[in-house]
Amino acid sequence: MTPQIAAAMKAGNLGTRWPQQKTKKSVMPTGEHPGMHIASLTEFGSRPFASVALAGGYRYIEIMQILLRLFRAGGYVDHNASVTVINGPIGKMRRELRVWLTLDG
């Protein structure tokens, strides 16, 4: 991910679609937005997450931390939810995510 895309994603919100539309030709916006995924996963906020894992490179973690704040504000993630940050080489992240999934999943 480029620094420019990361900055644009950080400036967005739960309704910002990615990848961003390149032309205005399409009537319907292209891409997907974080709000559409978190809403369906939490039954539109009626079952907020109590535990969250953020796994990825440093730019992805930065963006996920911003989204996490938005998810909490929207009622999709409990304000007291435990948050695990998994960062490092891909093999290490995969192992740590597997452990997190088997303990919390």
Side-chain angles (χ1 to χ4, degrees), residues 54-99:
L54 309 178
Y58 72 93
R59 284 192 184 123
Y60 290 90
I61 296 292
E62 288 176 357
I63 293 165
M64 286 185 273
Q65 288 171 334
I66 290 168
L67 288 173
L68 179 60
R69 284 194 294 278
L70 294 172
F71 292 157
R72 281 183 165 149
Y76 303 115
V77 173
D78 189 82
H79 285 281
N80 297 315
S82 66
V83 178
T84 301
V85 176
I86 301 170
N87 178 258
I90 189 71
K92 178 181 179 263
M93 288 192 298
R94 289 178 69 173
R95 283 189 301 276
E96 289 183 19
L97 184 57
R98 184 176 194 280
V99 169

Side-chain angles (χ1 to χ4, degrees), residues 3 34 40 42 72:
S40 65
T42 61
R72 281 183 165 149

Side-chain angles (χ1 to χ4, degrees), residues 1-60:
M1 174 178 306
T2 67
Q4 295 81 10
I5 291 174
M9 290 182 83
K10 288 181 205 178
N13 59 38
L14 295 184
T16 302
R17 292 180 180 266
W18 298 99
Q20 290 185 317
Q21 193 166 332
K22 295 191 186 329
T23 68
K24 300 288 184 196
K25 289 181 182 179
S26 178
V27 175
M28 293 296 294
T30 59
E32 298 181 356
H33 57 83
M36 67 194 285
H37 294 290
I38 195 73
S40 65
L41 290 169
T42 61
E43 296 180 20
F44 298 90
S46 66
R47 297 183 62 193
F49 285 103
S51 183
V52 177
L54 309 178
Y58 72 93
R59 284 192 184 123
Y60 290 90

